[in-house]
Amino acid sequence: MTETTAGDFIADAVRADNATGTYKGRVQTRFPPEPNGYLHIGHAKAITADFGIAEQFGGVCNLRFDDTNPDTEDVEYVEAIIDDIAWLGFSPAKVLYASDYFQALYDWAEALIVNGLAYVDDQDQETISVQRGGYGKPGVESPYRNRTPEENLDLFRRMRDGQFADGEKVVRAKVDMQSDNMQMRDPVMYRIRRGHHHRTGDQWVIYPTYDWAHGQSDALEGVTHSMCTLEFVSHHDLYDWFLNHLELPYDKPQQFEFARLELTHTVTSKRKLRQLIEDGIVTGWDDPRMPTLQGLRRRGYPASAIRAFCANVGVNKTNSRHSLEELEAFVRTDLNRVAQRRMGVLHPLKLVIDNWPTEDGRTLAEARQENPDAVGVAQFFEVANNPENSEDGTRQVPFAGQIWIEEEDFAEVPPPKFFRLSVGKEVRLRGAYLVTATGVVKDESGRVVEVHATYDPASQGGNAPDGRKVKSTMHWVSAAHGLDAEVRLYDHLFATEIPGETTGDPLDDLNPHSLDIVSAKVEPELGKARPGDVVQFERVGYFAADKDVPMVFHRTVGLKDEWAALQKRAA
Ligand code: ATP
Ligand code: MG
């Protein structure tokens, strides 16, 4: 799977390193999620880039959990992340944990302290943050900045031994309080925090910050090219500063920053996604409306479509928001190739074929005088499962004198250019017969509840023997054979393209109609659908069988290529 664009700037840098022998041809990357939530479509881009570069240059990519914050992390997320990466189609060379380096990081911190490059500060977070100043505003040195290495070492060991309360002291790197780069103004390396860690338990009461853990973990593992998103550009100098002052087991890794992936009508922040769950707006991380890999997967998105989309987005240096329709176009292209065709009627309306034969030679109309549920003779049509792939074979679809058609395929008073069914009009029932509507039955409110029709017995297969033109082909389900299904129709979770653009809070822009549940009638073959199977309901869209509940189908995506339409409009 070499899906990374050959021309991207990180690949160029690797090529240059290989040419000069910086890492003696070695290429090692890592994907470093914090296990505090589920992976989303943005992470898929990072995964594609991290694994892609390694693969492109015959290197390795590890999965490293950035598990340095006991308060928010959990083994539930660790397991889900491992599972999601495998589903997406990537295999980490190793699964590693930053928490395995807590001792090594501690030892390195002692070395910095001994060399006068780090100190213990007794001030609280707020004071430290005020003293940092801002751009063009000088920083103020901490009154504890010039403690001796001996005193710092003693205090640091006592911090580790649990002799101070949470938040009572921190360790800071002694860099430059006047730097134009705020990250360099003596950043915090350790905090005291009595949280139970999902792997190290209560062994540690001091935890390293992101900045102190990240680059050092890279260095300990032998990472060569360390990729992260653009918000870490300002941390780049600090990444280098730490590594320049430590004795490293391998050649010094380099940090590269690329653009985050954002999608229209979508948020990709774990904090916001968690809020959607907590507020009961979605049912969980795997709600099919969520941009999480678990959500997209349950919705029926193929992993290959997500990979192809990410490869197409590429690795770049400007943040951009891609159209959700663009991702959907990749999904549709994939599914059109692989999804088997079925028939399902989402808003069923009964069609009764009055001249349909019954076993005793009467017409259905006659038989129904006695038994309104009579359907007459059953026939079975052999239908191709997938016109795009003959290897998918055929199936038998039952047909009889009462069938379900789509409510919107019939009009009592047809508007102009309505080519589907109305009284006096002839249409084709896909793969079955030509039928002509003859009348309707209404309920007390005047709603059409039954359409009556006659069929042309010579049109079996759906073609008129005399070659007369029949414009419309409709899908259908035999009423006596069809199964009941619950179909969940999804729309954007957020109504606006950029959720939160005006108020700052994406939740202000929620689409109140993101889920519509309908009771559908589907052909019997769908009773055999396995969890997660994705099929095309002809003329309607692609649908995924739920992973847990039988006969529940999620609409993956519609049939219309909205991306092509958007591009045409833009051109
Ligand atoms: P969030 O803001 O959703 O919590 P994060 O960046 O904190 O995301 P991490 O688990 O720390 O999440 O991310 C792991 C890796 O994935 C990092 O290298 C991060 O830069 C990258 N990543 C996260 N979100 C995106 C995104 N939207 N687009 C591209 N890469 C991303
Ligand atoms: Mg993070």
Side-chain angles (χ1 to χ4, degrees), residues 40-78:
H40 51 61
I41 183 74
H43 292 116
K45 170 178 172 176
I47 293 169
T48 307
D50 290 324
F51 283 87
I53 284 285
E55 229 159 85
Q56 192 176 342
F57 294 97
V60 294
C61 178
N62 295 319
L63 165 60
R64 179 177 76 235
F65 287 103
D66 225 330
D67 57 345
T68 54
N69 182 358
D71 298 344
T72 55
E73 298 162 3
D74 197 272
V75 64
E76 170 197 348
Y77 304 124
V78 168

Coordinates of all heavy atoms in Angstrom, one line a residue, residues 40-78:
H40 N -10.4 9.6 14.8 CA -11.3 10.2 13.9 C -10.7 10.3 12.5 O -9.5 10.0 12.3 CB -11.9 11.5 14.4 CG -10.9 12.5 14.9 ND1 -9.9 13.0 14.0 CD2 -10.6 13.0 16.1 CE1 -9.1 13.8 14.7 NE2 -9.6 13.9 15.9
I41 N -11.4 10.9 11.6 CA -11.0 10.9 10.2 C -9.7 11.8 10.1 O -8.8 11.5 9.2 CB -12.1 11.5 9.3 CG1 -11.7 11.6 7.8 CG2 -12.5 12.9 9.7 CD1 -11.7 10.3 7.1
G42 N -9.5 12.7 11.0 CA -8.2 13.5 11.0 C -7.0 12.6 11.3 O -6.0 12.7 10.7
H43 N -7.2 11.7 12.3 CA -6.2 10.7 12.6 C -5.8 9.8 11.5 O -4.7 9.4 11.3 CB -6.6 9.9 13.8 CG -6.7 10.6 15.1 ND1 -7.8 10.8 15.8 CD2 -5.7 11.3 15.8 CE1 -7.6 11.5 16.9 NE2 -6.4 11.9 16.9
A44 N -6.9 9.5 10.7 CA -6.6 8.6 9.5 C -5.6 9.3 8.6 O -4.8 8.6 8.0 CB -7.9 8.4 8.8
K45 N -5.7 10.6 8.4 CA -4.7 11.3 7.6 C -3.3 11.1 8.2 O -2.3 10.8 7.5 CB -5.1 12.8 7.5 CG -3.9 13.6 6.8 CD -4.2 15.0 6.6 CE -2.9 15.7 6.1 NZ -3.1 17.1 5.8
A46 N -3.2 11.4 9.5 CA -1.9 11.2 10.2 C -1.3 9.8 10.0 O -0.2 9.6 9.7 CB -2.0 11.6 11.6
I47 N -2.2 8.8 10.2 CA -1.8 7.4 10.1 C -1.3 7.1 8.7 O -0.3 6.5 8.5 CB -3.0 6.5 10.5 CG1 -3.4 6.6 12.0 CG2 -2.7 5.0 10.1 CD1 -4.7 6.0 12.4
T48 N -2.1 7.6 7.7 CA -1.7 7.3 6.3 C -0.4 7.9 6.0 O 0.5 7.3 5.3 CB -2.8 7.9 5.4 OG1 -4.1 7.4 5.8 CG2 -2.6 7.6 3.9
A49 N -0.1 9.1 6.6 CA 1.2 9.8 6.3 C 2.3 9.0 7.1 O 3.4 8.7 6.5 CB 1.1 11.2 6.8
D50 N 2.1 8.7 8.4 CA 3.2 8.1 9.1 C 3.5 6.7 8.6 O 4.7 6.4 8.4 CB 2.7 7.9 10.6 CG 2.6 9.2 11.3 OD1 3.4 10.1 11.1 OD2 1.7 9.4 12.2
F51 N 2.5 5.9 8.3 CA 2.8 4.6 7.8 C 3.2 4.6 6.3 O 4.0 3.8 5.9 CB 1.5 3.7 7.9 CG 1.3 3.1 9.3 CD1 0.6 3.9 10.2 CD2 1.8 1.9 9.7 CE1 0.4 3.4 11.5 CE2 1.7 1.4 11.0 CZ 0.9 2.2 11.9
G52 N 2.6 5.6 5.6 CA 3.0 5.8 4.2 C 4.4 6.1 4.0 O 5.1 5.4 3.1
I53 N 5.0 7.0 4.7 CA 6.4 7.3 4.6 C 7.3 6.1 4.9 O 8.2 5.8 4.2 CB 6.8 8.5 5.5 CG1 6.2 9.8 4.9 CG2 8.3 8.6 5.7 CD1 7.0 10.4 3.7
A54 N 7.0 5.4 6.0 CA 7.8 4.3 6.3 C 7.8 3.3 5.2 O 8.8 2.7 4.8 CB 7.3 3.7 7.6
E55 N 6.6 3.0 4.7 CA 6.4 2.0 3.6 C 7.1 2.4 2.4 O 7.8 1.6 1.7 CB 4.9 1.8 3.3 CG 4.5 0.3 3.3 CD 3.1 0.2 3.5 OE1 2.3 0.3 2.6 OE2 2.7 0.0 4.7
Q56 N 7.0 3.7 2.0 CA 7.6 4.2 0.8 C 9.1 4.0 0.8 O 9.7 3.8 -0.3 CB 7.2 5.7 0.7 CG 7.5 6.3 -0.7 CD 7.0 7.7 -0.8 OE1 6.1 8.1 0.0 NE2 7.5 8.5 -1.7
F57 N 9.7 4.1 2.0 CA 11.2 4.1 2.0 C 11.7 2.8 2.7 O 12.8 2.8 3.2 CB 11.7 5.3 2.7 CG 11.4 6.6 1.9 CD1 10.3 7.4 2.2 CD2 12.3 6.9 0.9 CE1 10.1 8.5 1.5 CE2 12.0 8.1 0.1 CZ 10.9 8.9 0.4
G58 N 10.9 1.8 2.8 CA 11.3 0.5 3.4 C 11.7 0.6 4.8 O 12.5 -0.1 5.3
G59 N 11.0 1.6 5.5 CA 11.3 1.7 7.0 C 10.2 1.1 7.8 O 9.5 0.2 7.4
V60 N 10.2 1.5 9.1 CA 9.2 0.9 10.0 C 8.4 2.1 10.6 O 8.9 3.2 10.8 CB 9.7 0.1 11.1 CG1 10.4 -1.2 10.6 CG2 10.7 0.9 12.0
C61 N 7.1 1.8 10.9 CA 6.3 2.7 11.7 C 5.7 2.0 12.9 O 5.1 0.9 12.8 CB 5.1 3.2 10.8 SG 4.1 4.4 11.6
N62 N 5.9 2.6 14.1 CA 5.4 2.0 15.3 C 4.2 2.8 15.7 O 4.0 4.0 15.3 CB 6.4 2.1 16.4 CG 7.7 1.3 16.1 OD1 7.5 0.1 15.7 ND2 8.8 1.8 16.4
L63 N 3.4 2.1 16.5 CA 2.3 2.8 17.2 C 2.8 3.1 18.6 O 3.2 2.2 19.3 CB 1.0 1.9 17.3 CG -0.1 2.3 18.2 CD1 -0.7 3.7 17.9 CD2 -1.2 1.2 18.2
R64 N 2.8 4.4 18.9 CA 3.2 4.7 20.3 C 2.1 5.5 21.0 O 1.7 6.6 20.6 CB 4.5 5.6 20.3 CG 4.8 5.9 21.8 CD 6.1 6.6 22.0 NE 6.0 8.0 21.6 CZ 6.7 8.7 20.8 NH1 7.6 8.0 20.1 NH2 6.5 10.0 20.5
F65 N 1.6 5.0 22.1 CA 0.6 5.7 22.9 C 1.3 6.7 23.7 O 2.3 6.5 24.4 CB -0.1 4.7 23.8 CG -1.1 3.8 23.0 CD1 -0.8 2.5 22.7 CD2 -2.2 4.4 22.5 CE1 -1.6 1.8 21.9 CE2 -3.1 3.6 21.8 CZ -2.8 2.3 21.5
D66 N 0.8 7.9 23.5 CA 1.3 9.1 24.3 C 0.5 9.2 25.6 O -0.3 10.1 25.8 CB 1.1 10.3 23.4 CG 2.3 11.2 23.4 OD1 3.0 11.2 24.4 OD2 2.5 11.9 22.4
D67 N 0.8 8.2 26.4 CA 0.0 8.1 27.6 C 0.6 8.7 28.9 O 1.0 8.0 29.8 CB -0.4 6.6 27.9 CG 0.9 5.7 28.0 OD1 2.0 6.2 27.7 OD2 0.8 4.6 28.5
T68 N 0.7 10.0 28.8 CA 1.4 10.7 29.9 C 0.5 11.4 30.9 O 0.9 12.1 31.8 CB 2.4 11.7 29.4 OG1 1.8 12.5 28.4 CG2 3.5 10.9 28.6
N69 N -0.8 11.3 30.6 CA -1.8 12.0 31.4 C -2.8 11.1 32.1 O -3.8 10.7 31.4 CB -2.5 13.1 30.6 CG -3.5 13.9 31.4 OD1 -3.7 13.7 32.6 ND2 -4.1 14.9 30.8
P70 N -2.6 10.7 33.3 CA -3.4 9.6 33.9 C -4.9 10.1 34.1 O -5.8 9.2 34.1 CB -2.8 9.4 35.3 CG -2.1 10.7 35.6 CD -1.6 11.2 34.3
D71 N -5.2 11.4 34.1 CA -6.5 11.8 34.4 C -7.5 11.5 33.2 O -8.7 11.3 33.5 CB -6.6 13.3 34.6 CG -5.7 13.7 35.8 OD1 -5.4 12.8 36.6 OD2 -5.4 14.9 35.9
T72 N -7.1 11.5 32.0 CA -8.0 11.4 30.9 C -7.9 10.1 30.1 O -8.6 9.9 29.2 CB -7.7 12.6 29.9 OG1 -6.3 12.5 29.5 CG2 -8.0 13.9 30.5
E73 N -6.9 9.3 30.4 CA -6.6 8.2 29.5 C -7.2 6.9 30.1 O -7.3 6.7 31.3 CB -5.1 8.1 29.3 CG -4.6 9.3 28.6 CD -3.1 9.5 28.7 OE1 -2.4 8.6 29.3 OE2 -2.6 10.5 28.3
D74 N -7.4 5.9 29.2 CA -8.0 4.7 29.6 C -7.7 3.6 28.7 O -7.5 3.8 27.5 CB -9.5 4.8 29.7 CG -10.2 3.7 30.5 OD1 -10.5 2.7 30.0 OD2 -10.3 3.9 31.7
V75 N -7.6 2.3 29.2 CA -7.3 1.2 28.4 C -8.4 0.9 27.3 O -8.1 0.3 26.3 CB -7.0 0.0 29.3 CG1 -8.3 -0.4 30.1 CG2 -6.5 -1.2 28.6
E76 N -9.6 1.3 27.6 CA -10.7 1.2 26.6 C -10.3 1.9 25.3 O -10.5 1.3 24.2 CB -12.0 1.9 27.1 CG -13.1 2.1 26.1 CD -14.1 3.1 26.4 OE1 -14.2 3.6 27.6 OE2 -14.9 3.5 25.5
Y77 N -9.6 3.0 25.4 CA -9.2 3.8 24.2 C -8.0 3.1 23.5 O -7.9 3.1 22.3 CB -8.9 5.2 24.6 CG -10.0 5.9 25.2 CD1 -9.9 6.5 26.5 CD2 -11.3 6.0 24.6 CE1 -11.0 7.2 27.1 CE2 -12.3 6.7 25.2 CZ -12.2 7.2 26.5 OH -13.2 7.9 27.0
V78 N -7.1 2.6 24.4 CA -5.9 1.9 23.8 C -6.4 0.7 22.9 O -5.9 0.6 21.8 CB -5.1 1.3 25.0 CG1 -4.0 0.3 24.5 CG2 -4.4 2.5 25.8

